[in-house]
Amino acid sequence: MKNIMKKVCLVLMVTIFSFGFSIVGVTPAKASDSLNLQEKQRVVNTPIYYVIGEINEDTPDNIPTYGCINKTSEELVAMNNEDFKSAIKSELKWAINQKNAGASIFWHPEALDISKIVVPELHAEISDQLKKQTSVQNIGNQSNANTKESYTPGSTNKTYYLDNKTAGLVFWRFNKRATWEWDANGITSLTTSCWASKIWPGWTYTGVIDEYSAWISNPTSKYTYSQGEFTTNVQNSYPYIRINCYAGGTSNVSGGFE
């Protein structure tokens, strides 16, 4: 009789334990959506997109305002989780809308990691835009002076930049200037220069690592290409800018990373 009672008790204990376990399995604990300090720092220090533009010679050091964030990296990291995620979401959504409108804004692949961490609801849209963006992006006056049979002799220069943007700030700016002259028949000379500006502490500009020029259509159009290197102790970036120069003074630019 005692053995029978022991067996009954054992069965009851197993049944109760199994039932309790099944409840836990059906309703698992909700995963925490909070971000720790290191995760926030990673977000605000990861490049998410870059911007290509033409420098206004009257205000050469001006950096346009990007996005909806008007706080420093330190202020962003100090936010509570809800406000932090809201700020990053606003920044990413701004870039999505600007890109849809045709602005010269281009995603870094790292933006996908940031969207997964902070705003997964935007991940698919950013991924789609990233897949569609091409490696060559053109802005500026793209009219081709080749349509003219002769030109009024002259000279000009154009300066373009590539800004490397995170959620909190612009890490650095890569600049390239092209100066060219032409006579009645076409381009007679082309000189270029490159430099870095607005470099955030922790980054180092190594310099130009690749540079060359060649004819697009001799003698009416020529391009110049430069690639720079920026480094930190954890990553390297290799931005490039290509300027197409036309007799008559028009130009356009493309840029990106290799």
Side-chain angles (χ1 to χ4, degrees):
M1 185 67 178
K2 289 183 179 180
N3 289 336
I4 293 175
M5 291 300 296
K6 287 181 180 180
K7 290 182 180 180
V8 170
C9 290
L10 180 61
V11 170
L12 287 173
M13 290 176 64
V14 171
T15 302
I16 292 171
F17 177 79
S18 300
F19 179 72
F21 183 81
S22 67
I23 293 176
V24 173
V26 172
T27 57
K30 183 179 180 181
S32 173
D33 60 354
S34 63
L35 298 173
N36 59 39
L37 177 62
Q38 289 73 25
E39 288 170 328
K40 289 180 180 178
Q41 289 175 333
R42 175 191 169 193
V43 170
V44 299
N45 286 287
T46 298
I48 55 175
Y49 59 83
Y50 60 95
V51 184
I52 304 171
E54 182 175 353
I55 292 178
N56 184 334
E57 294 298 331
D58 295 330
T59 55
D61 293 328
N62 180 56
I63 289 184
T65 300
Y66 303 123
C68 305
I69 296 177
N70 57 2
K71 296 182 180 298
T72 65
S73 298
E74 291 77 13
E75 290 173 331
L76 280 171
V77 171
M79 286 179 168
N80 62 49
N81 278 278
E82 183 178 354
D83 291 342
F84 179 82
K85 290 185 177 183
S86 178
I88 303 303
K89 181 177 181 179
S90 296
E91 178 80 9
L92 296 179
K93 192 61 180 178
W94 178 88
I96 289 172
N97 293 338
Q98 290 293 310
K99 191 166 177 61
N100 282 334
S104 298
I105 292 177
F106 312 103
W107 295 109
H108 284 292
E110 289 84 352
L112 294 177
D113 294 332
I114 298 305
S115 65
K116 284 181 180 178
I117 295 172
V118 184
V119 280
E121 64 269 28
L122 297 181
H123 180 79
E125 196 167 1
I126 294 173
S127 178
D128 184 59
Q129 287 190 343
L130 181 60
K131 290 175 183 177
K132 291 179 180 178
Q133 84 183 20
T134 61
S135 60
V136 177
Q137 321 295 346
N138 289 309
I139 66 170
N141 187 337
Q142 299 182 44
S143 62
N144 192 331
N146 294 341
T147 57
K148 292 186 177 182
E149 294 182 357
S150 63
Y151 309 95
T152 300
S155 64
T156 192
N157 70 82
K158 294 288 184 179
T159 308
Y160 296 95
Y161 65 84
L162 188 154
D163 284 344
N164 194 29
K165 182 70 170 61
T166 74
L169 49 87
V170 173
F171 270 151
W172 44 256
R173 169 175 283 188
F174 183 53
N175 309 272
K176 180 174 174 64
R177 176 182 289 117
T179 302
W180 68 103
E181 299 180 350
W182 61 92
D183 60 16
N185 298 313
I187 294 174
T188 57
S189 69
L190 171 63
T191 59
T192 68
S193 59
C194 290
W195 67 98
S197 57
K198 305 296 183 182
I199 303 175
W200 189 252
W203 283 90
T204 300
Y205 175 56
T206 305
V208 174
I209 60 173
D210 194 13
E211 188 169 51
Y212 52 86
S213 299
W215 290 104
I216 300 172
S217 178
N218 190 356
T220 58
S221 57
K222 201 169 188 178
Y223 75 87
T224 173
Y225 171 97
S226 296
Q227 184 176 30
E229 180 181 36
F230 293 82
T231 66
T232 67
N233 58 356
V234 295
Q235 63 176 303
N236 298 332
S237 288
Y238 304 97
Y240 70 87
I241 295 177
R242 167 177 162 155
I243 305 175
N244 295 339
C245 308
Y246 302 98
T250 60
S251 66
N252 63 62
V253 66
S254 62
F257 288 79
E258 293 182 352

